[in-house]
Amino acid sequence: MARSLRVAPEYIKKVRLALPIKGYATQESLAVSAGLALSTVKNFLSGKPVSYGNFVELSSKLGLDWQEIAHQEPDKQQHPYIITQERSPFITGPPIIHPRYFFGREKELKRLFDLLKRHPLQNAAILGKKRSGKTSLLHYLKNITRTPTVQLRSGQKLDWLPHPSNYQWIFVDFQDPRLGKQQRLLRHILGGLGIAVPTPCDLDNFMDVVSHNLRSPTVILLDEIGAGLQRCLELDDRFWDSLRSLATNYTGGNLAFILASPESPIQLARNTGHSSPFFNIFGYTTTLGALTEAEARELIANSPMLFPPEDVEWILTQSRCFPLLVQILCRERLFSLEDGQIGDSWRQEALQQIQSFTHLL
Ligand SMILES: Nc1ncnc2c1ncn2[C@@H]1O[C@H](COP(=O)(O)OP(=O)(O)OP(=O)(O)O)[C@@H](O)[C@H]1O
Ligand SMILES: [Mg+2]
């Protein structure tokens, strides 16, 4: 059963107070900013259960430590790492949202944060095949610098930015069909910036309010931008021209875009019939491949049950250090150990499980 969490009764007041402090005039503006249903936000604010992912996302939007405000069963309160006891150590499919479960990509992270820690902020494109880890990297960029150390693995670097609390991060998932509507998307961005939505909420007014109000470094993460370009007719060249103009002319170097996609921005624009110069502003591109061997070993070592050394080597060889493949092979090994299986028969099943993702190799 999917894990759900609720705000502990003693924290409900604090959570509600955080709403105006963080610039959310209404519950709806928080819902729009988080890309969640209003009913989820209402449940969250009234101490009713919401899914683990939504709980973490809403807590982070309100600048709150989710572990602090979550209701915990009395017998679990002494354990600092509740996550490891209730969540699988190997996540095989959904993007990694919580930084604790993200491994490697040190080189990419260094370059990306270098572009963001100096003025003017600069744009970047994260490319990679399907399932290579693009969305996970976007979430990590957004979350790592503000995650309390107690929620991280020991030694995980979080001091990437000199003043992380000054930064604003907005995540746009273009696979969410609601964000293909121009007005909805503009509201989503304004909600994330804590800027009041103008009436009407059209492109001209959006440009006006953002250029007048955006004062702190802001990073807009555009995930699966290809879906936005293909499916969303309202996001036309004029829309993309305006975003470029905001970043380059009207926000004093305080606004950057980081996009994730299987294809380069220029190819994407060409393939979808767009000619906006927005797609030329991505001066840094990184293509996600395998983890380094050391990074993959760290992921394998995350297992709560020690793997025999020959299995570790086998996993490294078969996965060629691609994170999804490492995760799947580790999951299979862990299950077989937990079931007390003897011998190597688990390997055959494990190889079958990675069949659908061998395009990564
Ligand atoms: N840095 C990482 N650390 C650990 N696991 C990772 C990492 N990056 C990716 N993974 C693994 O890969 C899977 C897919 O990651 P993610 O969804 O981020 O990829 P994607 O490139 O966005 O995929 P898609 O093309 O389908 O959108 C995750 O479920 C996880 O198993
Ligand atoms: Mg993705």
Side-chain angles (χ1 to χ4, degrees), residues 95 130-131 133-136 175 223-224 260:
K130 283 261 150 237
R131 316 274 56 214
K134 304 176 295 296
T135 305
S136 302
Q175 270 168 348
D223 195 16
E224 289 298 336

Side-chain angles (χ1 to χ4, degrees), residues 91-96 101-103 129-136 224 323-324 327:
I91 299 170
T92 54
I96 311 288
Y101 296 97
F102 182 95
F103 289 81
K129 292 182 185 167
K130 283 261 150 237
R131 316 274 56 214
S132 54
K134 304 176 295 296
T135 305
S136 302
E224 289 298 336
L324 176 59
Q327 297 262 23

Side-chain angles (χ1 to χ4, degrees), residues 67-284:
Q67 280 207 326
E68 184 192 351
I69 63 171
H71 173 77
Q72 293 171 17
E73 299 303 327
D75 63 326
K76 291 180 182 157
Q77 266 171 352
Q78 308 102 329
H79 301 294
Y81 293 124
I82 303 157
I83 315 168
T84 53
Q85 291 159 1
E86 299 194 8
R87 301 245 302 174
S88 166
F90 300 115
I91 299 170
T92 54
I96 311 288
I97 309 284
H98 196 287
R100 181 178 170 78
Y101 296 97
F102 182 95
F103 289 81
R105 305 284 187 221
E106 288 285 317
K107 192 175 123 244
E108 291 87 352
L109 287 165
K110 173 153 192 340
R111 294 295 300 274
L112 290 165
F113 277 118
D114 277 348
L115 295 170
L116 300 176
K117 74 182 185 197
R118 300 196 179 92
H119 193 87
L121 272 62
Q122 294 178 57
N123 309 296
I126 298 170
L127 311 185
K129 292 182 185 167
K130 283 261 150 237
R131 316 274 56 214
S132 54
K134 304 176 295 296
T135 305
S136 302
L137 180 55
L138 291 182
H139 281 292
Y140 197 73
L141 285 168
K142 174 171 174 263
N143 295 332
I144 180 61
T145 58
R146 296 172 303 169
T147 303
T149 321
V150 67
Q151 294 178 19
L152 297 173
R153 302 187 305 275
S154 78
Q156 226 175 328
K157 179 174 167 67
L158 77 166
D159 57 346
W160 294 101
L161 293 171
H163 303 290
S165 56
N166 288 348
Y167 281 71
Q168 307 187 91
W169 300 85
I170 296 161
F171 194 101
V172 181
D173 175 8
F174 282 108
Q175 270 168 348
D176 178 345
R178 294 169 299 178
L179 297 181
K181 300 257 181 280
Q182 191 181 109
Q183 200 187 98
R184 189 77 188 251
L185 176 55
L186 299 181
R187 283 173 174 272
H188 176 76
I189 296 174
L190 291 168
L193 295 172
I195 298 176
V197 176
T199 319
C201 183
D202 57 19
L203 203 48
D204 289 351
N205 283 340
F206 172 82
M207 295 277 288
D208 284 344
V209 292
V210 175
S211 40
H212 285 132
N213 293 295
L214 194 141
R215 296 283 168 267
S216 50
T218 298
V219 186
I220 301 187
L221 305 160
L222 305 171
D223 195 16
E224 289 298 336
I225 190 170
L229 291 174
Q230 255 157 17
R231 291 196 223 133
C232 313
L233 298 179
E234 289 184 19
L235 308 183
D236 53 12
D237 275 338
R238 180 163 179 269
F239 170 81
W240 298 109
D241 290 351
S242 305
L243 289 194
R244 172 179 162 135
S245 200
L246 263 187
T248 51
N249 302 325
Y250 296 115
T251 46
N254 265 333
L255 177 62
F257 293 95
I258 299 192
L259 65 78
S261 146
E263 298 163 295
S264 78
I266 293 174
Q267 271 172 326
L268 267 173
R270 201 178 298 138
N271 297 347
T272 54
H274 288 77
S275 57
S276 168
F278 174 79
F279 300 97
N280 302 331
I281 59 176
F282 296 85
Y284 173 71

